[in-house]
């Protein structure tokens, strides 16, 4: 018999991670505490919650990203199903954008576990041919302004630890190898802070999905009130022209 | 015990709608025949297949539609999962675009079932406040060029019947009421031809999804070879500007 | 020029609803406050946040719902793209399950705006043929235990107002008409509390999507650690058997 | 200026890959020919179409797969949006199931390009730790019955070439290394036949998506007529039980 440890429901209650939804959770936990409980199986202490809140807040919204545009176009085409518009945008939270959180966290774990973290960071830089996940940003140059703020929140609450240190070592190694400065971006900082807050690397993309889901709902609501869908469509259509071979 | 009549598999074969996949279907049916078999439970005769093929061909591709743009943006963001990019585009095949096939077909069924079809068509026009599904087109003015071709294919193969006639009555009634010409668009024509080919109205959007799925795969392949994603993104971002309240 | 009021980014910052992400938001707002800011354009005061938190907490998780099963099956089939698995589950947050929040809220607004709310509630019951959205539950009988807890939170924080009252009137009218008790379910209670907390009805499904997104991430993480996907698949396959026509 | 070579529309026509939709395509091409035109930029000759049709037919339907179950559950939860149900199922056409087509095709290309194909096949077997994509099947044991039929169609039409030969070499090498017989499965055979029919490996998963899209529409239609959704849900729920930690 396969088992789940997440939840079950009875006529009188819903039991989630061993707690009563009606007695222990509704009105007792914040949404951030609740989402940690359901995903991780426990409610983190306040300093960890503060760090996780900071990471979620940082990832909610970044303007007209490809995800937000996809959500708006799908909502305008199929307004009967808001869930489809939000799902379409979430499908863009993948390997090339926010999914880099995961790739970076794997590297940080290697560095954090090493007897000689600085040497390990240099080895990672040397062996990596493609851009290092968590580094560089098209808009935020020369430095991603979110990174020091995330680190500061993590330090204030005593959360910053081996993974934040590993990310800084990786940045130093990268700058030395490239002989120029490449910024630690927000997904790198989120990877380090979430790792130090005890979030397993393989589910970090899930935290990005929750944060971005909220942002995409915001874009749906603006489409409801003040639609930009046709403008987006026409601008895209005008920018890509048909050419016969 | 709930039952399915679609398919089952054994070690030696897959049985689909009572037929052996290996003996009766692979190499024996075209893809169009096969998709009708799986959806409808039977392989339509060649004239019906010709009409269905014409409708599928008509719906595959219409350039940089909102669906195609969503697919390209999601593919560029999450290239690890082509299925996500195609799914994002299909989520835009909804109530405002191709989904109108279904809305139109319901009206055609009412007219076709009436003792006085012309009167029923006029009644539908009189009672409908919003744009009639299947009529009007932003680009194709004054007339959608696909409509007469779809009707011609249906007539050539002896498929055109009560529903094509109903759509023409509806067009006549609409023009009379509006005192101007409003074109029957391709989704209207597809609704009429598919109805006369025996496709139930409630699954017509499914045929649109299959056709558009093929078109979206084409857009993914062009992104693989010659990406337009960043151009689309930048054009959309430039067209919608931030304003504080 | 079409405008967005949500966000823009500069090299030095991201401006969201007129606030600096790095100075005003990260480390300053909880995730619930942030998601309200991005969707609604303002940060609600603490009592409203408490009511919204209670609604989000109530909707996160309800065991092996159809959404959760869809997420698990898709994750097991395409583990390269967690975003696809979460999107698949969210696509099930629709008209028949959590989407009833929206349908209920529309009725509550009618009652709340009426000069004679009790009469309006009775009129709605009389004119509605299908099950009233927000009433009845398969599992939670005779009463949904989440409803009184949500109401209590709303009352404690002084949020309960015209919409909670309207829902209670609607329940009284429904019981009188049916001559038996039908419970106000959690989606009904969420509709009333969110409405009294100032959430527009047309975006309420968005709050359900954010809450459920978190729950679905929990199911993905359990699939990563302790997969149930094959068990689910085999049980479903065994329960639906093939029958030739 | 970025360009697309797929399609553009004018008031009078839609031009797809340089051809007039109304004069050259509707009523002139089968759906299979049309989908090849839009994806590949040309209409393959009849023998290639026969091979591609065989592959599409083989992939349409395989009973209650995880994809089909996801589609049925989402349709039952959100019947307002058939596109969401089909999209949910397509999201399961990924790396572990049909997506193996792509992984297999990459190996076949290596073998086909080698001066000593048999040696290259043996090298691939030796270096691959995980199951070889395109080999083995849970249900179809000891041999997948679809594989010889797909090969026979390809041979009858003169399409079978270097990639079919490469797959047979790979099978021989695998059996020799394992000292037991492991079947070439249908996704392996599809990879070989599509490759010999000139389909680039990176878009093969797209052909699987089109075929499976048709199959999923069939499952939606059965849900419309004869819903199995609740049975599936209850069976899944009963099979996975809640356990506290």
């Amino acid at each position: 018999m396969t088992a789940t440890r997440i939840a079950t429901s009875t006529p009188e209650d819903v039991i989630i991670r061993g707690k009563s939804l009606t007695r222990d959770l509704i009105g007792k936990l914040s949404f951030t505490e609740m989402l940690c409980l359901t995903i991780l199986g426990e409610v983190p202490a306040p300093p960890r919650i503060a760090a996780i809140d900071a990471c979620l807040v940082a990832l909610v919204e970044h303007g007209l990203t490809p995800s937000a545009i996809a959500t708006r176009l799908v909502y305008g085409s199929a307004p009967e199903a808001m869930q489809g518009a939000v799902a379409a945008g979430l499908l863009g939270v993948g390997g090339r954008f926010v999914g880099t959180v995961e790739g970076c966290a794997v590297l940080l774990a290697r560095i954090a576990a090493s007897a000689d973290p600085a040497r390990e960071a240099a080895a990672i830089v040397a062996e990596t041919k493609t851009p290092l996940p968590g580094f560089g940003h098209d808009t935020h140059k020369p430095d991603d302004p979110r990174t020091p703020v995330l680190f500061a929140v993590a330090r204030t609450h005593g959360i910053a630890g081996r993974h934040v240190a590993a990310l800084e070592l990786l940045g130093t190694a990268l700058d030395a190898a490239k002989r120029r400065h490449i910024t630690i971006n927000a997904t790198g900082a989120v990877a380090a802070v979430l790792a130090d807050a005890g979030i397993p690397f393989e589910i970090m993309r899930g935290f990005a999905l929750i944060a971005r889901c909220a942002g995409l709902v915001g874009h749906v609501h603006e489409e409801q009130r003040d639609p930009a869908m046709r403008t987006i469509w026409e601008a895209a259509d005008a920018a890509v022209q048909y050419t016969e071979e």
Side-chain angles (χ1 to χ4, degrees), chain A residues 58 61-63 65 135-148 181-187 212:
Chain A
E61 180 51 55
H62 203 266
T65 56
F135 285 87
H137 200 283
D138 270 8
T139 305
H140 299 304
K141 288 187 274 202
D143 274 305
D144 191 324
R146 301 167 291 183
T147 298
H181 176 56
I182 300 178
T183 188
I184 299 173
N185 66 33
T187 57
R212 211 31 85 90

Short mmCIF file of all heavy atoms in Angstrom, two decimals, chain A residues 58 61-63 65 135-148 181-187 212:
data_model
loop_
_atom_site.label_atom_id
_atom_site.label_comp_id
_atom_site.label_asym_id
_atom_site.label_seq_id
_atom_site.Cartn_x
_atom_site.Cartn_y
_atom_site.Cartn_z
N ALA A 58 10.89 38.40 -3.43
CA ALA A 58 11.81 38.80 -4.49
C ALA A 58 11.41 38.23 -5.85
O ALA A 58 11.72 38.81 -6.88
CB ALA A 58 13.23 38.36 -4.14
N GLU A 61 7.41 39.19 -8.99
CA GLU A 61 7.07 40.08 -10.10
C GLU A 61 8.33 40.69 -10.70
O GLU A 61 9.21 41.14 -9.96
CB GLU A 61 6.14 41.18 -9.52
CG GLU A 61 5.65 42.21 -10.46
CD GLU A 61 5.03 41.65 -11.72
OE1 GLU A 61 4.10 40.83 -11.62
OE2 GLU A 61 5.51 42.01 -12.82
N HIS A 62 8.40 40.70 -12.03
CA HIS A 62 9.51 41.37 -12.71
C HIS A 62 9.04 42.03 -13.99
O HIS A 62 9.75 42.08 -14.99
CB HIS A 62 10.67 40.39 -12.96
CG HIS A 62 12.00 41.04 -13.12
ND1 HIS A 62 12.53 41.39 -14.34
CD2 HIS A 62 12.91 41.44 -12.21
CE1 HIS A 62 13.71 41.96 -14.18
NE2 HIS A 62 13.97 41.99 -12.90
N GLY A 63 7.79 42.54 -13.99
CA GLY A 63 7.28 43.24 -15.17
C GLY A 63 6.86 42.29 -16.27
O GLY A 63 6.44 41.17 -16.01
N THR A 65 7.63 39.92 -18.20
CA THR A 65 8.46 38.77 -18.54
C THR A 65 7.76 37.92 -19.60
O THR A 65 6.55 38.05 -19.82
CB THR A 65 8.66 37.89 -17.30
OG1 THR A 65 7.35 37.53 -16.82
CG2 THR A 65 9.40 38.61 -16.19
N PHE A 135 24.37 33.54 -12.08
CA PHE A 135 25.28 34.66 -12.34
C PHE A 135 24.88 35.41 -13.61
O PHE A 135 24.44 34.80 -14.60
CB PHE A 135 26.72 34.17 -12.48
CG PHE A 135 27.32 33.81 -11.16
CD1 PHE A 135 27.15 32.53 -10.63
CD2 PHE A 135 28.00 34.76 -10.42
CE1 PHE A 135 27.67 32.20 -9.39
CE2 PHE A 135 28.53 34.43 -9.18
CZ PHE A 135 28.36 33.15 -8.65
N GLY A 136 25.05 36.72 -13.59
CA GLY A 136 24.80 37.56 -14.77
C GLY A 136 23.33 37.92 -14.89
O GLY A 136 22.45 37.18 -14.45
N HIS A 137 23.06 39.11 -15.43
CA HIS A 137 21.67 39.53 -15.66
C HIS A 137 21.64 40.56 -16.78
O HIS A 137 22.49 41.46 -16.81
CB HIS A 137 21.06 40.13 -14.38
CG HIS A 137 19.56 40.13 -14.41
ND1 HIS A 137 18.84 41.06 -15.12
CD2 HIS A 137 18.66 39.30 -13.83
CE1 HIS A 137 17.55 40.80 -14.97
NE2 HIS A 137 17.40 39.74 -14.19
N ASP A 138 20.69 40.42 -17.68
CA ASP A 138 20.58 41.33 -18.83
C ASP A 138 20.28 42.76 -18.42
O ASP A 138 20.83 43.71 -18.97
CB ASP A 138 19.43 40.87 -19.74
CG ASP A 138 19.92 39.89 -20.79
OD1 ASP A 138 21.09 39.48 -20.72
OD2 ASP A 138 19.13 39.54 -21.68
N THR A 139 19.36 42.91 -17.49
CA THR A 139 18.92 44.26 -17.10
C THR A 139 19.75 44.81 -15.95
O THR A 139 20.15 45.98 -15.98
CB THR A 139 17.44 44.21 -16.64
OG1 THR A 139 16.67 43.63 -17.67
CG2 THR A 139 16.92 45.62 -16.32
N HIS A 140 19.96 43.99 -14.96
CA HIS A 140 20.59 44.47 -13.73
C HIS A 140 22.11 44.39 -13.86
O HIS A 140 22.74 43.39 -13.49
CB HIS A 140 20.08 43.67 -12.54
CG HIS A 140 18.59 43.80 -12.35
ND1 HIS A 140 17.95 45.00 -12.21
CD2 HIS A 140 17.61 42.88 -12.32
CE1 HIS A 140 16.65 44.83 -12.08
NE2 HIS A 140 16.41 43.54 -12.16
N LYS A 141 22.70 45.49 -14.38
CA LYS A 141 24.13 45.58 -14.59
C LYS A 141 24.65 46.88 -13.98
O LYS A 141 23.95 47.90 -14.07
CB LYS A 141 24.44 45.57 -16.10
CG LYS A 141 24.23 44.20 -16.72
CD LYS A 141 24.69 44.18 -18.17
CE LYS A 141 23.60 44.67 -19.10
NZ LYS A 141 23.74 44.22 -20.49
N PRO A 142 25.82 46.94 -13.42
CA PRO A 142 26.76 45.82 -13.25
C PRO A 142 26.35 44.86 -12.14
O PRO A 142 26.87 43.76 -12.09
CB PRO A 142 28.07 46.53 -12.90
CG PRO A 142 27.63 47.79 -12.22
CD PRO A 142 26.35 48.20 -12.89
N ASP A 143 25.38 45.28 -11.27
CA ASP A 143 25.06 44.39 -10.15
C ASP A 143 23.56 44.25 -9.98
O ASP A 143 22.82 45.23 -10.10
CB ASP A 143 25.70 44.91 -8.86
CG ASP A 143 27.11 44.41 -8.72
OD1 ASP A 143 27.31 43.18 -8.78
OD2 ASP A 143 28.04 45.24 -8.61
N ASP A 144 23.13 43.04 -9.67
CA ASP A 144 21.73 42.80 -9.38
C ASP A 144 21.42 43.35 -7.99
O ASP A 144 21.99 42.89 -7.00
CB ASP A 144 21.45 41.29 -9.46
CG ASP A 144 19.96 40.98 -9.43
OD1 ASP A 144 19.20 41.68 -8.72
OD2 ASP A 144 19.54 40.04 -10.12
N PRO A 145 20.53 44.35 -7.91
CA PRO A 145 20.31 45.02 -6.61
C PRO A 145 19.59 44.15 -5.59
O PRO A 145 19.59 44.47 -4.40
CB PRO A 145 19.44 46.22 -7.00
CG PRO A 145 18.69 45.76 -8.21
CD PRO A 145 19.66 44.89 -8.97
N ARG A 146 18.99 43.05 -6.04
CA ARG A 146 18.24 42.21 -5.10
C ARG A 146 19.16 41.33 -4.26
O ARG A 146 18.82 40.95 -3.13
CB ARG A 146 17.24 41.35 -5.88
CG ARG A 146 16.26 42.21 -6.69
CD ARG A 146 15.49 41.40 -7.70
NE ARG A 146 16.37 40.94 -8.79
CZ ARG A 146 15.96 40.25 -9.84
NH1 ARG A 146 14.68 39.92 -9.97
NH2 ARG A 146 16.82 39.87 -10.77
N THR A 147 20.31 41.01 -4.82
CA THR A 147 21.21 40.07 -4.15
C THR A 147 21.67 40.56 -2.77
O THR A 147 21.51 39.84 -1.78
CB THR A 147 22.39 39.76 -5.08
OG1 THR A 147 21.85 39.14 -6.26
CG2 THR A 147 23.39 38.82 -4.43
N PRO A 148 22.23 41.78 -2.66
CA PRO A 148 22.69 42.20 -1.31
C PRO A 148 21.53 42.32 -0.31
O PRO A 148 21.72 42.07 0.89
CB PRO A 148 23.35 43.56 -1.55
CG PRO A 148 22.90 44.00 -2.90
CD PRO A 148 22.58 42.77 -3.69
N HIS A 181 33.96 41.51 -13.62
CA HIS A 181 32.95 41.25 -12.61
C HIS A 181 31.64 40.76 -13.25
O HIS A 181 31.12 41.41 -14.15
CB HIS A 181 32.70 42.52 -11.80
CG HIS A 181 31.61 42.36 -10.79
ND1 HIS A 181 31.64 41.38 -9.81
CD2 HIS A 181 30.44 43.02 -10.61
CE1 HIS A 181 30.54 41.47 -9.07
NE2 HIS A 181 29.79 42.45 -9.53
N ILE A 182 31.15 39.64 -12.78
CA ILE A 182 29.84 39.14 -13.20
C ILE A 182 28.97 39.06 -11.96
O ILE A 182 29.34 38.42 -10.97
CB ILE A 182 29.95 37.75 -13.87
CG1 ILE A 182 30.87 37.87 -15.10
CG2 ILE A 182 28.58 37.23 -14.27
CD1 ILE A 182 31.10 36.56 -15.81
N THR A 183 27.82 39.73 -12.01
CA THR A 183 27.01 39.85 -10.79
C THR A 183 26.39 38.51 -10.37
O THR A 183 26.04 37.69 -11.22
CB THR A 183 25.90 40.90 -10.99
OG1 THR A 183 25.25 41.14 -9.73
CG2 THR A 183 24.84 40.43 -11.98
N ILE A 184 26.29 38.31 -9.08
CA ILE A 184 25.43 37.25 -8.55
C ILE A 184 24.00 37.75 -8.72
O ILE A 184 23.65 38.82 -8.23
CB ILE A 184 25.71 37.01 -7.05
CG1 ILE A 184 27.16 36.55 -6.84
CG2 ILE A 184 24.73 35.96 -6.50
CD1 ILE A 184 27.55 36.44 -5.35
N ASN A 185 23.16 37.00 -9.46
CA ASN A 185 21.80 37.50 -9.69
C ASN A 185 20.84 36.99 -8.62
O ASN A 185 21.22 36.21 -7.72
CB ASN A 185 21.34 37.19 -11.12
CG ASN A 185 21.18 35.70 -11.37
OD1 ASN A 185 20.82 34.94 -10.49
ND2 ASN A 185 21.46 35.29 -12.61
N ALA A 186 19.58 37.45 -8.72
CA ALA A 186 18.62 37.14 -7.67
C ALA A 186 18.33 35.65 -7.57
O ALA A 186 18.11 35.13 -6.47
CB ALA A 186 17.31 37.89 -7.92
N THR A 187 18.35 34.92 -8.72
CA THR A 187 18.07 33.48 -8.58
C THR A 187 19.22 32.78 -7.87
O THR A 187 19.00 31.84 -7.11
CB THR A 187 17.77 32.81 -9.94
OG1 THR A 187 18.86 33.03 -10.83
CG2 THR A 187 16.49 33.34 -10.55
N ARG A 212 5.73 33.11 -8.44
CA ARG A 212 5.39 33.62 -9.75
C ARG A 212 3.90 33.45 -10.04
O ARG A 212 3.30 34.26 -10.76
CB ARG A 212 6.25 32.90 -10.80
CG ARG A 212 6.60 33.68 -12.05
CD ARG A 212 6.74 35.17 -11.89
NE ARG A 212 8.02 35.68 -11.46
CZ ARG A 212 9.01 36.03 -12.27
NH1 ARG A 212 8.87 35.91 -13.56
NH2 ARG A 212 10.13 36.50 -11.78
#
